[in-house]
């Protein structure tokens, strides 16, 4: 079953940390990704750029809105993600606990499933449905 680990950072963290610390944390995250690959659960990962370069788009009642970042109301930003193929939610949570980002950010674990699924559904109910609308690579990984 596909799970995503979302790395949620305080919005001002990137701009306030020294360059050396940023590089050290990046290297820790790369090593973590390598360990996930070695265990066969890694599907994809990436770091996201600053929210100052982000744009929020919406359309309500025929009116389009484009808001350039940074977003003053945001206390946290999504700094990156890991997409994993785990047998259970518990495995995904255990892997999230190993993520170095837990030491300076919050790691949110979410299963990948169709948006119409009931939030209270458990892993057993999501097993087949979670792969149905998932990206092709995730669906193939889940089938293995």
């Amino acid at each position: 079953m596909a799970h995503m680990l979302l790395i949620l950072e305080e919005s001002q963290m990137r701009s306030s940390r020294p360059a050396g610390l940023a590089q050290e944390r990046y290297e820790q995250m790369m090593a973590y990704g390598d360990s996930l690959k070695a265990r066969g659960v890694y599907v994809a990962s990436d770091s996201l750029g600053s929210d100052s370069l982000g744009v929020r788009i919406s359309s309500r009642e025929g009116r389009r809105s484009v808001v350039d970042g940074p977003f003053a109301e945001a206390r946290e930003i999504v700094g990156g993600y890991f997409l994993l193929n785990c047998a259970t939610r518990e495995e995904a949570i255990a892997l999230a606990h190993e993520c170095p980002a837990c030491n300076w950010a919050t790691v949110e674990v979410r299963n990948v499933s169709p948006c119409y699924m009931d939030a209270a559904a458990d892993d057993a109910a999501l097993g087949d449905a979670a792969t149905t609308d998932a990206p092709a690579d995730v669906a193939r990984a889940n089938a293995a």
Side-chain angles (χ1 to χ4, degrees), residues 14-70:
R14 287 187 178 186
S15 61
S16 64
R17 67 182 172 210
L21 179 59
Q23 183 64 35
E24 178 184 320
R25 288 180 175 174
Y26 179 78
E27 290 169 8
Q28 290 174 7
M29 296 299 281
M30 295 301 292
Y32 174 68
D34 289 342
S35 77
L36 295 171
K37 290 174 188 174
R39 291 185 256 184
V41 296
Y42 178 92
V43 176
S45 67
D46 224 327
S47 177
L48 301 178
S50 170
D51 69 330
S52 65
L53 301 175
V55 177
R56 291 184 176 174
I57 311 294
S58 64
S59 181
R60 304 288 187 274
E61 299 176 7
R63 301 186 79 160
R64 291 182 179 180
S65 171
V66 177
V67 178
D68 291 322

Side-chain angles (χ1 to χ4, degrees), residues 113-134:
S113 66
C115 61
Y116 57 82
M117 294 293 292
D118 185 306
D122 62 17
D123 279 358
L126 291 173
D128 293 333
T131 61
T132 304
D133 293 342

